[in-house]
Amino acid sequence: MAEVLVIVDHLDGTPKKVTYELLTKARELGEPSAVFLGAPGQSAAALDGLGRYGARKVYVGESDDIAGFLTAPKAEIVAALVKNKAPVAVLFASSTEGKEVAARVAVKTGSGLLADAVDLDADGTATQSIFGGAVEVKSTVTAGTNLVTVRPNSTPPVEQANEVVVEQLTVEVTEAAKGARIVESVVEGKGGRPDLGDAAIVVSGGRGVGAAEGFGIIEALADSLGAAVGASRAATDAGWYPHQHQVGQTGRTVSPQLYIAAGISGAIQHRAGMQTSKTIVAINKDAEAPIFELADFGLVGDLFTVVPALTEQIVKRKG
Amino acid sequence: MNIVVLVKQVPDTWAERKLQDGDKTLDRASVDVVMNEIDEYAVEEALRIKQSAGEGSEITVLTMGPDRAVETIRKALAMGADKAVHLSDEALHGSCALQTSYALATVLGTLDYDLVICGSESTDARLSIMAPLLAERLGVPQLSGARKVTVSDKTVRIERQTESGYDVIEAATPTVISVVEKINEPRYPSFKGIMAAKKKPLTTLTIADAGIAPDQVGLAAATSSVESFSTRPPRQAGQIVKDEGDGGSRVADFLASQKFL
């Protein structure tokens, strides 16, 4: 069976859920091989999970030259693998970095690239959702190798345990690929919650939250559900919540199982970032707010009483 | 310091955007068009860098797009850019992102630049890959997703938004930078700026002028193909209830009915 490369998206070695989703999808296209690229020693934490979700082989490239520079070293290594292994497809997570590495690999290998797929057929046809979710497009790659970046939460991860064979890659990064050096990585603000892009549930607050302090009840609701916290542009621009949590056009695009919007009116720019969520719940005191047009369940009410009451109910019912 | 700013004309996000039935490309003719919003921040950042770099700096606007894209170029010039290059050719219609990057890189290859600055994404395609594509083709460092840019002599530092905070990334010029919208507050063109823009140099290039190979661009040679498209049925409006003091329970009941609890 033909080989499908899955580029592992990980945080300090621990694969993100999207990686398991990609491996699940890859099994429909062929035989999945994971490609782990990171700093020395990081892959140890990843191999077990990669095998559990069906990777037959794991190519491991570990070097400070991979971790210390922006995207170009990873692209060199993936492009070399594409040339040597001739896979039928290469799947990347649709993260900022996933798309950037994929873009460079496309140039290096003369391949087409389908970005932000929300579904992928066994023949490599990708479904993309464009214009803020208003139009669905089915596209194929017509040049070189099939390169696809897939949005998190596009498919539920399904285990299929395998013994993995590890193949260490010899990492030789060219000087040209070391142009953009990562001088420092700064962690800001809110730790301990799932990443916004990866989370199965997202709770977002908007203008109606009124102030930075107002996000306390949004966070409490998120924590009761094990959810990530999002924010509308109005809230991040006002400085109430950090910018990396902004959902919408020019922010993050999320597609969780459940999206709860509190105090968000639902301007088209916000909808562009969350419209493909499976289930949408809206809480807003303005009955005319456009967010209610999208909501599977809408509650017209004051979020400052509804959200804490909801959190209390959830905690009680979850026991 | 020579700065090239890439700007793109896009359909207004408030307008209903469509694909054309025939060749399945974006219908650009029937909608209101505007400068891609984030590109205004790219122009603003270029103006600020030019100002601190002082004498001898110049900003060139580069746009690929149909004839009417000249409106967007004029806006960038009115904001304060010095001159413009407009790559416009029927043969470019339907080009994919990879081909677009090839065409833009070919034109950039004929310009003298220290910095290429673009917005992090366009509101129509939303791919966010033009900076890495151009960096790859031009063989220069990629500084993408910048929320802050600091230029000192030949060294450029950016703060790049990450999922958990930000990274500080450094590269030497020449380099390609993409900016996100929190980087600055774009100025509005002044009346004087608008008048001055009409007299600023604007060079229009065909693909032949630019040395772009005709078999490397356009719909027929695109590296990906749209097989079909469909308008997504609008979401069925769900159940809307008014809070009667039991709002929290009502939402919890719904979540339980959907197996989230």
Side-chain angles (χ1 to χ4, degrees):
Chain A
M1 235 174 136
E3 191 171 16
V4 180
L5 299 183
V6 169
I7 312 304
V8 177
D9 189 5
H10 64 92
L11 185 67
D12 301 330
T14 306
K16 294 187 182 172
K17 183 164 67 77
V18 65
T19 300
Y20 301 140
E21 295 167 5
L22 295 178
L23 284 169
T24 303
K25 225 19 170 173
R27 303 203 296 257
E28 294 171 21
L29 282 78
E31 204 160 88
S33 296
V35 180
F36 184 97
L37 303 176
Q42 282 187 336
S43 70
L47 297 178
D48 199 41
L50 298 175
R52 199 150 25 91
Y53 284 91
R56 301 294 184 90
K57 202 187 262 184
V58 183
Y59 298 106
V60 173
E62 294 180 316
S63 162
D64 289 330
D65 284 347
I66 295 173
F69 300 92
L70 203 58
T71 65
K74 288 181 180 167
E76 274 190 358
I77 296 165
V78 175
L81 272 173
V82 168
K83 282 172 188 160
N84 294 335
K85 308 289 176 185
V88 284
V90 186
L91 309 188
F92 304 77
S94 248
S95 59
T96 304
E97 186 186 85
K99 289 205 282 189
E100 292 186 343
V101 173
R104 285 175 170 271
V105 172
V107 172
K108 285 178 188 291
T109 62
S111 301
L113 166 65
L114 300 174
D116 289 323
V118 293
D119 196 14
L120 192 58
D121 297 345
D123 68 356
T125 304
T127 305
Q128 295 152 302
S129 174
I130 62 169
F131 302 155
V135 177
E136 274 201 347
V137 170
K138 284 190 180 287
S139 306
T140 54
V141 162
T142 51
T145 306
N146 204 359
L147 308 180
V148 186
T149 80
V150 183
R151 276 200 191 152
N153 293 315
S154 294
T155 192
V158 179
E159 294 193 16
Q160 190 191 80
N162 262 322
E163 281 293 316
V164 291
V165 179
V166 175
E167 190 175 321
Q168 292 288 339
L169 301 171
T170 313
V171 177
E172 283 168 16
V173 176
T174 65
E175 284 307 308
K178 297 185 196 171
R181 190 167 63 89
I182 302 171
V183 180
E184 193 185 358
S185 283
V186 180
V187 175
E188 274 183 325
K190 327 280 174 182
R193 296 198 177 89
D195 176 61
L196 194 52
D198 221 26
I201 303 179
V202 174
V203 179
S204 288
R207 197 185 296 276
V209 175
E213 302 73 55
F215 268 88
I217 58 171
I218 303 294
E219 290 182 334
L221 174 57
D223 291 343
S224 74
L225 290 162
V229 176
S232 72
R233 184 169 169 184
T236 58
D237 277 358
W240 301 343
Y241 216 68
H243 269 287
Q244 66 264 30
H245 293 268
Q246 185 194 322
V247 172
Q249 180 182 297
T250 75
R252 307 280 295 276
T253 298
V254 300
S255 195
Q257 300 297 322
L258 172 62
Y259 188 88
I260 301 180
I264 293 177
S265 64
I268 190 163
Q269 286 81 357
H270 186 74
R271 283 153 58 169
M274 46 67 75
Q275 192 149 305
T276 53
S277 304
K278 309 288 180 299
T279 300
I280 297 172
V281 171
I283 301 164
N284 201 302
K285 64 182 177 192
D286 176 10
E288 303 298 314
I291 192 79
F292 287 124
E293 293 164 18
L294 296 185
D296 298 286
F297 188 86
L299 190 91
V300 182
D302 182 358
L303 71 94
F304 293 100
T305 56
V306 174
V307 169
L310 172 59
T311 307
E312 196 188 311
Q313 283 289 328
I314 291 167
V315 171
K316 201 164 86 188
R317 295 189 197 195
K318 279 191 160 180
Chain B
M1 178 81 52
N2 288 318
I3 307 169
V4 179
V5 187
L6 304 180
V7 299
K8 183 182 186 185
Q9 189 178 57
V10 297
D12 195 334
T13 20
W14 294 102
E16 189 191 348
R17 293 164 291 178
K18 287 187 226 144
L19 295 180
Q20 301 179 104
D21 285 324
D23 66 2
K24 307 188 191 79
T25 62
L26 177 62
D27 181 352
R28 293 180 192 275
S30 71
V31 289
D32 288 340
V33 287
V34 293
M35 185 194 292
N36 179 46
E37 188 191 346
I38 311 174
D39 298 351
E40 294 180 23
Y41 296 77
V43 174
E44 178 65 37
E45 197 60 22
L47 293 168
R48 292 181 186 206
I49 292 168
K50 177 186 165 177
Q51 193 174 16
S52 53
E55 287 287 302
S57 294
E58 191 173 53
I59 300 173
T60 306
V61 177
L62 172 58
T63 289
M64 167 174 147
D67 290 348
R68 80 192 278 209
V70 77
E71 297 159 21
T72 290
I73 292 174
R74 292 284 178 212
K75 179 169 182 184
L77 292 173
M79 286 175 74
D82 299 297
K83 57 181 183 151
V85 177
H86 182 189
L87 177 62
S88 181
D89 199 308
E90 262 305 301
L92 294 164
H93 173 77
S95 293
C96 65
L98 281 147
Q99 296 170 309
T100 302
S101 71
Y102 156 71
L104 290 172
T106 305
V107 177
L108 284 166
T110 68
L111 302 173
D112 189 17
Y113 64 88
D114 300 294
L115 304 177
V116 175
I117 307 181
C118 59
S120 61
E121 69 175 58
S122 65
T123 56
D124 52 356
R126 297 201 68 204
L127 293 172
S128 304
I129 56 174
M130 201 41 73
L133 285 173
L134 289 173
E136 180 69 38
R137 292 200 187 272
L138 297 167
V140 304
Q142 160 202 340
L143 295 174
S144 55
R147 65 178 206 182
K148 186 179 175 192
V149 178
T150 317
V151 182
S152 63
D153 195 24
K154 292 188 182 312
T155 304
V156 184
R157 269 193 180 207
I158 66 157
E159 286 183 12
R160 168 179 159 104
Q161 192 84 60
T162 62
E163 287 162 6
S164 54
Y166 66 93
D167 285 350
V168 179
I169 320 261
E170 188 178 278
T173 58
T175 178
V176 177
I177 301 169
S178 74
V179 303
V180 297
E181 95 252 309
K182 76 199 60 133
I183 194 162
N184 57 40
E185 196 57 54
R187 69 195 67 188
Y188 288 102
S190 65
F191 180 71
K192 208 175 126 198
I194 292 166
M195 296 311 289
K198 293 178 181 166
K199 299 196 190 85
K200 287 180 176 173
L202 166 61
T203 310
T204 305
L205 301 177
T206 64
I207 61 166
D209 298 334
I212 292 164
D215 61 348
Q216 296 295 308
V217 292
L219 190 62
T223 61
S224 57
S225 156
V226 173
E227 303 298 323
S228 64
F229 68 89
S230 58
T231 307
R232 199 186 159 98
R235 283 184 88 102
Q236 295 291 321
Q239 192 189 355
I240 310 290
V241 301
K242 198 167 174 331
D243 182 23
E244 305 284 358
D246 59 350
S249 297
R250 297 293 297 271
V251 180
D253 289 344
F254 173 77
L255 295 182
S257 74
Q258 300 295 308
K259 311 271 186 277
F260 289 113
L261 295 180

